[in-house]
């Protein structure tokens, strides 16, 4: 989502690098460009103005350090200031040591509350917690059904009392949770189209009665500065403990993420990056700042890989790679693992420099599907020893996979090249990566 901002900042830094040293003039020029880039990304104008003033003060103060590359120096300052703008430290969701811990989810209609409640439930279920989801939206009958469907999908219990009073629902849910030794209760409350007194009063009453450890607001990142205003009002009225930005996978420009902490004082704790139950990320200011500046975010990438890749399978694969026994079957398994990690474009942003490298070279999911179909149309023997795939076999595979013989030729050639490349990788190029992570 920060693509355009990243691109503009990179262009600014490149121009600066062209100069031998920093002067007041080239600093001013660069700052003007950075300010414009922030505003284009829909950052609150006061936030952008203060940001620029802070960078300017430091850059002018640092001007005397002549030995440093001027471009580098500004990048360093902007990086630090971005981290502070995004909230400095990672604020994780707080879970009480005395169960049940209560997380109350609130926000406007359609912001993503029910989705986020379920994603959170899955997150803590994976950590071994017993979770109870509570349908505290009695106004829309379909709301209960939606939560039940998601609960079933992730195998988490859902508490509901139909159209009863929401305060009562939450109280009853809590007493049931205590009896059943639930570790974490997540309250999915009702949303309204606009912020109104009725909504606020109801939420305040629930808060007073169940005393949640966390009161999280879900704000739609796509709404930009509106999300910031909503967060401000909710914080003022309810003292929320954190903001979760949903729909960060959309084409939002990043302004909400870059403004919320500074404008409202409330930290961003989580981000929703898709509709799937696993599309939830913790918000790490430093990593996001690095991503914005095109420095990549290897830590998140490795974490994501560790989370999704079957470590045992990966270790087996590594062994095969060393012995150069990588087959088309293994290739197929790798494609499946990759698909689990999410869209390739989002992974590319995390690799330093890859964003720039991949620019324009779109990764076509359709071609991945084609490769899958080709491999699936082969016999086990062919997958094991691609060298036996002669002309007539190629024809058969092309027919079976709805492709052409040329496509098969191309794929086999690429596979051969990849195998060669992987072999050279395993000969020492992989040391920097943690054990069990393959080079994909
Ligand atoms: N792409 C994307 N879609 C999301 C994300 N979070 C939620 N959605 C979608 O947004 C829509 C609304 O989400 P809900 O979770 O139902 O929102 P809600 O706040 O509970 O809505 P109400 O209960 O009607 O107030 C659904 O179609 C979700 O799939 C996200 O992070 N990314
Ligand atoms: Mg809902």
């Amino acid at each position: 989502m920060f693509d355009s901002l990243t691109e503009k900042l990179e262009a600014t830094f490149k121009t600066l690098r062209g100069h031998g040293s920093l002067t007041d003039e080239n600093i001013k020029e660069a700052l003007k460009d950075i300010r414009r880039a922030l505003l284009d990304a829909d950052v609150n104008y006061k936030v952008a103005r203060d940001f620029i003033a802070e960078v300017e003060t430091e850059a002018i103060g640092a001007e005397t350090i002549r030995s440093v590359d001027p471009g580098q120096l500004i990048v360093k300052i902007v990086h630090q200031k971005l981290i502070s703008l995004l909230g400095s430290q990672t604020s994780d969701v707080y879970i009480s040591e005395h169960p049940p811990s209560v997380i109350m989810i609130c926000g406007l209609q359609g912001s993503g509350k029910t989705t986020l409640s379920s994603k959170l439930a899955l997150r803590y279920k994976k950590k071994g917690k017993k979770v109870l989801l509570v349908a505290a939206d009695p106004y829309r009958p379909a709301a209960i059904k939606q939560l039940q469907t998601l609960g079933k999908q992730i195998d988490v219990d859902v508490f509901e009392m139909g159209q009863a009073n929401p305060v009562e629902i939450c109280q009853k849910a809590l007493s049931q949770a205590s009896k059943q030794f639930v570790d974490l209760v997540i309250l999915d409350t009702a949303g309204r189209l606009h912020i109104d007194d009725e909504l606020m009063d109801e939420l305040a009453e629930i808060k007073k009665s169940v005393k949640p450890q966390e009161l999280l607001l879900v704000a739609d990142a796509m709404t930009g500065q509106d999300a910031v205003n909503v967060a401000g009002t909710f914080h003022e009225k309810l003292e929320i403990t954190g903001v979760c930005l949903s729909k960060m996978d959309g084409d939002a420009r990043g302004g909400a993420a870059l403004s919320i902490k500074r404008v409202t004082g409330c930290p961003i704790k989580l981000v929703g990056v898709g509709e799937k139950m696993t599309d939830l990320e913790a918000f790490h200011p430093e990593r996001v700042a690095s991503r914005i500046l095109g420095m990549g975010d290897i830590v998140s990438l490795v974490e994501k890989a560790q989370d999704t890749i079957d470590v045992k399978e990966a270790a087996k694969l590594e062994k095969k790679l060393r012995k150069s026994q990588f087959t088309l079957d293994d290739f197929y398994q790798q494609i499946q693992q990759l698909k689990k990690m999410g869209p390739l474009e989002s992974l590319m942003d995390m690799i330093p420099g890859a964003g720039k490298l991949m620019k324009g070279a779109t990764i076509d999911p359709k071609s991945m599907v084609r490769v899958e179909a080709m491999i699936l149309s082969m016999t086990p023997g062919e997958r094991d020893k691609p060298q036996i795939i002669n002309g007539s076999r190629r024809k058969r595979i092309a027919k079976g996979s709805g492709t052409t013989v040329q496509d098969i030729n191309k794929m086999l050639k690429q596979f051969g090249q990849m195998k060669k490349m992987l072999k050279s990788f395993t000969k020492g190029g992989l040391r920097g990566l943690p054990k069990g992570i393959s080079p994909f």
Side-chain angles (χ1 to χ4, degrees):
M1 77 184 301
F2 298 108
D3 283 358
S4 159
L5 178 61
T6 300
E7 213 173 283
K8 284 177 195 148
L9 291 177
E10 270 175 356
T12 309
F13 298 142
K14 202 168 155 212
T15 316
L16 266 185
R17 282 195 194 106
H19 300 292
S21 60
L22 285 183
T23 61
D24 282 357
E25 209 160 304
N26 58 31
I27 290 176
K28 279 228 154 64
E29 200 55 43
L31 289 174
K32 223 197 274 166
D33 288 344
I34 296 174
R35 181 165 175 273
R36 206 172 302 136
L38 289 173
L39 291 176
D40 284 347
D42 191 33
V43 171
N44 173 292
Y45 78 95
K46 275 194 219 134
V47 172
R49 189 190 57 198
D50 294 351
F51 182 87
I52 295 300
E54 285 170 27
V55 175
E56 183 168 21
T57 315
E58 271 197 39
I60 288 174
E63 220 183 321
T64 43
I65 316 168
R66 296 272 171 210
S67 59
V68 183
D69 173 322
Q72 287 288 351
L73 184 69
I74 298 283
V75 173
K76 189 166 160 269
I77 297 171
V78 171
H79 188 228
Q80 280 166 353
K81 295 293 167 199
L82 270 179
I83 295 173
S84 121
L85 189 63
L86 291 161
S88 295
Q89 282 151 1
T90 307
S91 313
D92 205 354
V93 175
Y94 172 74
I95 302 291
S96 160
E97 280 165 20
H98 310 285
S101 212
V102 181
I103 301 179
M104 179 172 164
I105 307 292
C106 63
L108 294 184
Q109 209 174 59
S111 55
K113 297 179 294 297
T114 306
T115 309
L116 189 104
S117 302
S118 318
K119 285 176 179 174
L120 260 184
L122 177 63
R123 183 195 214 211
Y124 286 103
K125 187 189 159 216
K126 278 188 181 167
K127 291 186 182 180
K129 303 266 184 220
K130 187 171 178 193
V131 187
L132 181 67
L133 278 163
V134 181
D137 176 357
Y139 307 109
R140 220 165 37 90
I144 301 172
K145 196 97 209 261
Q146 186 195 0
L147 193 65
Q148 282 171 330
T149 307
L150 291 173
K152 209 172 203 172
Q153 199 182 317
I154 55 171
D155 194 21
V156 167
D157 286 341
V158 173
F159 181 94
E160 60 101 0
M161 282 171 55
Q163 319 289 106
N165 174 287
V167 180
E168 213 174 294
I169 297 174
C170 295
Q171 281 169 341
K172 286 259 164 65
L174 219 63
S175 66
Q176 180 182 317
S178 301
K179 279 188 216 131
Q180 297 179 342
F181 304 105
V182 166
D183 298 303
L184 177 63
V185 179
I186 301 173
L187 309 173
D188 176 27
T189 65
R192 303 281 198 280
L193 227 36
H194 311 281
I195 297 167
D196 56 42
D197 290 342
E198 211 183 320
L199 166 70
M200 289 299 174
D201 290 348
E202 182 181 302
L203 293 171
E205 220 180 305
I206 297 176
K207 183 185 174 188
K208 207 169 110 200
S209 108
V210 301
K211 302 195 177 48
Q213 275 73 30
E214 287 275 7
L215 173 47
L216 301 176
L217 169 81
V218 182
D220 182 342
M222 307 266 280
T223 61
Q225 287 308 308
D226 275 346
V228 181
N229 296 335
V230 168
T233 315
F234 269 78
H235 192 39
E236 212 175 275
K237 301 244 163 102
L238 293 168
E239 257 190 85
I240 54 178
T241 56
V243 178
C244 308
L245 276 180
S246 64
K247 308 181 197 178
M248 285 275 274
D249 51 314
D251 54 3
R253 286 168 291 164
L258 284 160
S259 317
I260 277 187
K261 177 76 207 303
R262 204 44 81 84
V263 175
T264 68
C266 230
I268 299 173
K269 294 202 168 178
L270 297 162
V271 287
V273 291
E275 292 185 80
K276 284 203 304 293
M277 288 295 102
T278 46
D279 293 335
L280 181 73
E281 287 178 8
F283 189 78
H284 301 289
E286 193 188 334
R287 298 188 200 171
V288 177
S290 301
R291 235 189 266 185
I292 291 175
L293 294 182
M295 297 171 173
D297 179 3
I298 281 292
V299 191
S300 293
L301 182 65
V302 170
E303 277 179 5
K304 196 160 186 166
Q306 281 169 334
D307 220 32
T308 30
I309 285 177
D310 186 331
V311 177
K312 253 197 248 143
E313 284 300 313
K316 245 200 285 178
L317 193 74
E318 238 180 72
K319 218 156 142 196
K320 279 188 172 177
L321 285 174
R322 284 222 175 84
K323 292 192 188 152
S324 197
Q325 287 170 344
F326 189 66
T327 67
L328 281 161
D329 245 334
D330 300 322
F331 184 35
Y332 182 76
Q333 297 303 333
Q334 276 309 94
I335 295 179
Q336 304 314 309
Q337 298 268 18
L338 250 181
K339 280 209 301 208
K340 270 198 267 174
M341 282 178 68
L344 282 175
E345 281 83 354
S346 77
L347 299 178
M348 285 304 154
D349 284 347
M350 297 185 190
I351 304 173
K356 230 184 307 178
L357 210 68
M358 298 302 297
K359 192 108 207 118
T362 47
I363 304 161
D364 178 11
K366 267 198 228 125
S367 78
M368 211 142 86
V369 174
R370 257 203 310 272
V371 171
E372 276 181 71
M374 290 182 211
I375 298 178
L376 286 175
S377 300
M378 294 174 186
T379 64
E382 287 165 348
R383 284 182 222 161
D384 205 37
K385 288 200 179 63
Q387 58 271 28
I388 67 168
I389 307 177
N390 58 17
S392 67
R393 286 179 190 252
R394 281 174 206 230
K395 256 191 225 150
R396 194 205 74 237
I397 298 165
K399 207 162 165 204
S401 56
T403 58
T404 64
V405 172
Q406 280 88 340
D407 290 332
I408 308 286
N409 291 345
K410 199 168 134 203
M411 193 274 278
L412 287 174
K413 194 170 158 208
Q414 279 172 344
F415 174 72
Q417 285 168 345
M418 195 174 73
K419 209 168 150 176
K420 239 190 257 162
M421 187 188 80
L422 288 175
K423 208 171 153 194
S424 64
F425 248 134
T426 46
K427 277 193 183 138
L430 262 179
R431 260 183 220 131
L433 284 178
K435 225 177 147 32
I437 304 285
S438 76
F440 286 90

